[in-house]
Amino acid sequence: MLEQDQKLVQDAQQDPANFAALYDKYFDQIYRYVYRRVSDKETVHDLVSQTFFDALSHIKSFEWRGYPFSSWLYKIAHNNVLKWYREQSKGHNVGLDEIGELADLSVDQVRDASRKEKQLEVQKVIDQLDHEEREIIRLKFFEEVSNIEIAEIMGLSANHIGVKVYRTLKKVKQLLKS
Amino acid sequence: MARPAGRYFASVITKIRDAKKKELIVIDDGFKMQLRQQLMVKIAATSQPQKTSWLEKLAPFKAYLGVVPALAFVIIAVVGISKLPLQFKSDVVVPVGPSSQQNASPKAVVQDQGSPSQDNAANSSSIITFPGRFVIPQGKNSDAAANLVGENQPSSLAMTVSDAPADTSVQKSGVPQDSSQKQQTPLQVQSSDSSDSIGNLNVPQQILQYFTYQPVTQPAPVSQYSETAQDGASADAGSSASVTLAPSVEGSAPLNSADPSVTGSMPSVTALKTPADVSKESSTALMNTENSAGAAADQPLKAATVVQKSEVYTPQRTAKTAPKTVTSATYSLNEMAQLPPKQVDLDVYYNGSFSGDERTVLEQSIVPHLVEGKDVDYVSVYQKDAATVVIELQYADGKTAVYDYKVDQTGTLQLVQQ
């Protein structure tokens, strides 16, 4: 898996035309990741497009560290989503945690009716978590990314991510009980 | 602490994964294909200019761009240095030896300018040859030239009697002298035949006469030359002054005889000889100078001690081995002045205390004959030691000819080595 990723990345670095293979492999993952963060279809398209264009522009500067290439794409997408939320909250001095709240609020606002109907109890609990906890739960259990990759994406240490996963699950369990 | 994947969180994790499965996210394939095309267009758009951009082609050489100014600076510096009047040239002989007058020896210093005489090689021990020296170009004044010639040179050409080293010690009669000592002792031969040339040089002997020198502490005025030269007896009567240079070895007395009469006097008549002559005659012809040097040790030589002699003298013991009699003539400065001087448009640089008369003699009598028929750029005259004057001809083609002239106690220049 990693070797295949490395080969694709090397090919893309030598010839950008080979970037299409990486695009085909990781488009669905990135699209779902962004869609879970931003329900607005046009915004999702914009953010996904921006993510892949950024990846193409910086593919030559990518350094292989032994992580899957998807981690790098998740990180770009994560930063683009945060940037989009900052632009949405322009004029308001909000922190990252508040951005997470705004994001969830935005998600709630644009979520279509059918999806609201199918919204499960778990989703409600997740929405009650703070921004960082939601991001960890989504990456860990929805994107199925390892703690090391989450640490790479969020710029934290792997041990710190492990502790946060534990605390978040404990918090979700308490919320589910209540 | 419970593990996230353990039983404690199993129910929570199960619920989260069930929620993921029930999640409905429809991927817009149309958008996917459209975005793919956009990426390909961008890839094509960005890769095309890369092939034609000359800046991109020069990117690998960006590191060398910084070298260009440095290289230009170096070139300018080299060109500037090359235009300086000082140049290094090879085949240069620089004397290394006694730096003071007390240690200076009137040995015939031999430079490696091509002397076939093996005896002369014995005297080359005080010479170190190294490839490089300053060459004084035209246009530099004599002061600059003086600074550029070897630092070990004595500051004055003047020599006192006390400077006479042990090398010139007297050999008692009948005692043979080794070749090195023979060379170190100038042969005194008198002759009226002044037409002989020295070696293969075009320098007549008469122009090599009487290079008078003065003591450092007693520079002689120019007029002193004419006065003493006109009055030949003044030299003989020099005992009344501070110096006595009596011609006590004149006449038929053999050179190798230890004549007590020479005690306290210096030979006033000297002869010129070539290195070949030195090798031929020095085996037998010796001059007693020890006593005279010792007696006159406290008396500096008086300038312009000139005696006009024209007797022919043949050493007794050299008649068999050296059938050719070396002749020479001694002229006073007045006579030298009467010689047809040659005016040569040539720069002569001096390093040392050369008086005006000495320079006149050099420039009008010696140097013109040395440079006659040769393409010489300039001439450097300097003192190798207290008793050796070196005339160096710098040819236009860069070559150098060095003539060593030994100044004996009477102030006569003898060509020692070419």
Side-chain angles (χ1 to χ4, degrees):
Chain A
M1 180 70 177
L2 288 177
E3 290 79 8
Q4 185 183 4
D5 271 9
Q6 190 173 4
K7 179 68 167 58
L8 291 175
V9 169
Q10 288 176 352
D11 292 344
Q13 287 177 330
Q14 292 174 358
D15 185 4
N18 296 326
F19 185 78
L22 291 170
Y23 174 83
D24 294 337
K25 183 175 182 178
Y26 294 108
F27 176 83
D28 294 351
Q29 286 180 237
I30 300 301
Y31 187 89
R32 290 192 187 97
Y33 172 75
V34 174
Y35 189 85
R36 291 186 187 108
R37 303 289 302 274
V38 181
S39 297
D40 181 44
K41 194 174 182 178
E42 290 184 0
T43 304
V44 170
H45 289 181
D46 290 342
L47 292 177
V48 169
S49 300
Q50 187 63 41
T51 298
F52 280 100
F53 276 114
D54 289 347
L56 176 63
S57 300
H58 299 92
I59 186 65
K60 289 188 176 179
S61 63
F62 173 77
E63 294 181 3
W64 185 261
R65 298 183 184 180
Y67 304 131
F69 183 70
S70 58
S71 300
W72 191 56
L73 292 176
Y74 278 129
K75 189 172 185 176
I76 296 173
H78 173 77
N79 292 332
N80 285 332
V81 170
L82 291 179
K83 184 179 178 182
W84 179 80
Y85 279 123
R86 287 194 192 98
E87 290 175 354
Q88 293 300 309
S89 61
K90 192 174 289 183
H92 303 281
N93 292 328
V94 290
L96 280 177
D97 292 340
E98 294 176 289
I99 286 175
E101 300 297 333
L102 288 172
D104 292 332
L105 183 62
S106 175
V107 169
D108 290 340
Q109 288 175 350
V110 299
R111 192 162 288 167
D112 54 57
S114 61
R115 194 173 177 184
K116 283 181 182 177
E117 292 175 358
K118 296 177 183 178
Q119 191 174 25
L120 302 174
E121 182 185 9
V122 173
Q123 187 64 45
K124 291 180 181 176
V125 170
I126 291 174
D127 290 344
Q128 294 177 17
L129 300 173
D130 62 25
H131 168 71
E132 195 173 63
E133 292 170 344
R134 281 197 301 271
E135 190 70 17
I136 288 173
I137 291 297
R138 284 167 183 160
L139 287 172
K140 178 72 178 177
F141 299 104
F142 287 83
E143 307 298 335
E144 298 181 352
V145 176
S146 67
N147 288 356
I148 295 176
E149 294 176 67
I150 294 172
E152 179 72 13
I153 294 168
M154 299 185 66
L156 301 173
S157 67
N159 290 334
H160 194 189
I161 293 297
V163 172
K164 280 190 169 294
V165 168
Y166 171 79
R167 290 176 182 172
T168 303
L169 289 177
K170 190 176 181 180
K171 189 174 182 180
V172 169
K173 188 175 184 179
Q174 291 175 352
L175 290 172
L176 287 174
K177 285 182 180 178
S178 62
Chain B
M1 186 175 73
R3 293 180 301 168
R7 282 187 177 181
Y8 184 76
F9 294 119
S11 59
V12 178
I13 292 172
T14 301
K15 287 182 180 178
I16 292 174
R17 287 179 176 166
D18 288 341
K20 179 189 174 185
K21 289 178 183 177
K22 293 176 183 177
E23 188 180 45
L24 180 59
I25 298 177
V26 179
I27 295 175
D28 191 345
D29 289 334
F31 167 72
K32 184 178 180 180
M33 296 304 296
Q34 182 183 359
L35 180 59
R36 195 177 193 279
Q37 289 179 354
Q38 290 176 356
L39 288 171
M40 293 298 107
V41 170
K42 184 179 181 181
I43 289 170
T46 54
S47 62
Q48 189 67 22
Q50 284 181 350
K51 294 178 181 178
T52 57
S53 174
W54 62 274
L55 286 175
E56 293 293 332
K57 290 180 180 178
L58 291 177
F61 305 99
K62 193 184 298 181
Y64 298 101
L65 293 179
V67 181
V68 173
L71 193 61
F73 177 78
V74 169
I75 292 173
I76 292 172
V78 168
V79 170
I81 290 172
S82 66
K83 288 183 178 178
L84 287 176
L86 299 181
Q87 298 174 357
F88 276 103
K89 294 201 173 183
S90 59
D91 297 330
V92 173
V93 177
V94 172
V96 176
S99 58
S100 64
Q101 288 190 349
Q102 291 182 349
N103 295 328
S105 169
K107 286 181 179 179
V109 179
V110 180
Q111 297 181 345
D112 57 350
Q113 292 293 325
S115 171
S117 174
Q118 292 183 351
D119 293 336
N120 290 340
N123 293 326
S124 63
S125 59
S126 63
I127 299 299
I128 291 178
T129 302
F130 68 95
R133 71 177 291 272
F134 286 114
V135 174
I136 310 165
Q138 291 185 359
K140 298 290 290 182
N141 56 32
S142 60
D143 292 338
N147 293 330
L148 293 175
V149 183
E151 297 179 2
N152 290 331
Q153 305 297 330
S155 60
S156 172
L157 183 64
M159 186 182 78
T160 61
V161 177
S162 60
D163 288 329
D167 293 340
T168 59
S169 61
V170 173
Q171 296 291 326
K172 297 300 181 182
S173 62
V175 178
Q177 195 173 23
D178 62 285
S179 60
S180 62
Q181 288 177 320
K182 295 162 194 168
Q183 282 192 0
Q184 293 158 5
T185 304
L187 175 66
Q188 292 187 357
V189 181
Q190 296 179 357
S191 173
S192 58
D193 183 6
S194 60
S195 61
D196 287 352
S197 296
I198 296 177
N200 53 1
L201 296 176
N202 295 325
V203 183
Q205 287 183 345
Q206 59 267 29
I207 68 167
L208 299 175
Q209 300 303 312
Y210 267 101
F211 184 84
T212 58
Y213 56 93
Q214 305 168 358
V216 179
T217 57
Q218 189 178 355
V222 176
S223 60
Q224 188 176 359
Y225 288 90
S226 59
E227 292 173 0
T228 57
Q230 289 174 355
D231 185 8
S234 65
D236 295 335
S239 58
S240 61
S242 59
V243 177
T244 300
L245 297 177
S248 57
V249 296
E250 298 172 0
S252 59
L255 283 178
N256 57 355
S257 67
D259 187 356
S261 64
V262 302
T263 301
S265 64
M266 292 289 291
S268 60
V269 180
T270 59
L272 297 172
K273 58 184 178 179
T274 64
D277 296 329
V278 170
S279 61
K280 289 178 181 177
E281 301 173 5
S282 60
S283 61
T284 56
L286 301 174
M287 181 184 70
N288 296 329
T289 58
E290 184 180 43
N291 293 333
S292 60
D298 297 331
Q299 298 175 343
L301 287 177
K302 184 177 180 180
T305 324
V306 180
V307 180
Q308 179 178 357
K309 299 295 180 183
S310 60
E311 295 89 354
V312 176
Y313 173 75
T314 304
Q316 289 180 350
R317 301 184 65 176
T318 58
K320 296 177 182 178
T321 57
K324 180 182 178 182
T325 300
V326 177
T327 59
S328 178
T330 304
Y331 288 87
S332 66
L333 280 179
N334 278 349
E335 289 177 330
M336 294 182 68
Q338 292 173 0
L339 292 174
K342 291 187 176 182
Q343 293 293 335
V344 179
D345 186 14
L346 200 63
D347 291 330
V348 180
Y349 300 101
Y350 295 94
N351 180 23
S353 303
F354 294 91
S355 65
D357 287 341
E358 292 168 352
R359 297 188 181 200
T360 302
V361 170
L362 285 167
E363 294 177 10
Q364 295 188 356
S365 299
I366 298 178
V367 172
H369 291 82
L370 287 175
V371 304
E372 188 173 15
K374 301 171 184 175
D375 188 10
V376 177
D377 248 357
Y378 60 89
V379 177
S380 298
V381 180
Y382 58 90
Q383 291 178 257
K384 179 174 290 182
D385 51 42
T388 306
V389 175
V390 177
I391 299 176
E392 181 177 310
L393 307 183
Q394 180 67 41
Y395 294 109
D397 58 358
K399 295 181 179 178
T400 304
V402 180
Y403 301 91
D404 282 5
Y405 287 90
K406 181 181 176 184
V407 184
D408 64 7
Q409 289 84 346
T410 62
T412 302
L413 280 181
Q414 286 184 324
L415 177 62
V416 177
Q417 181 64 41
Q418 177 186 3

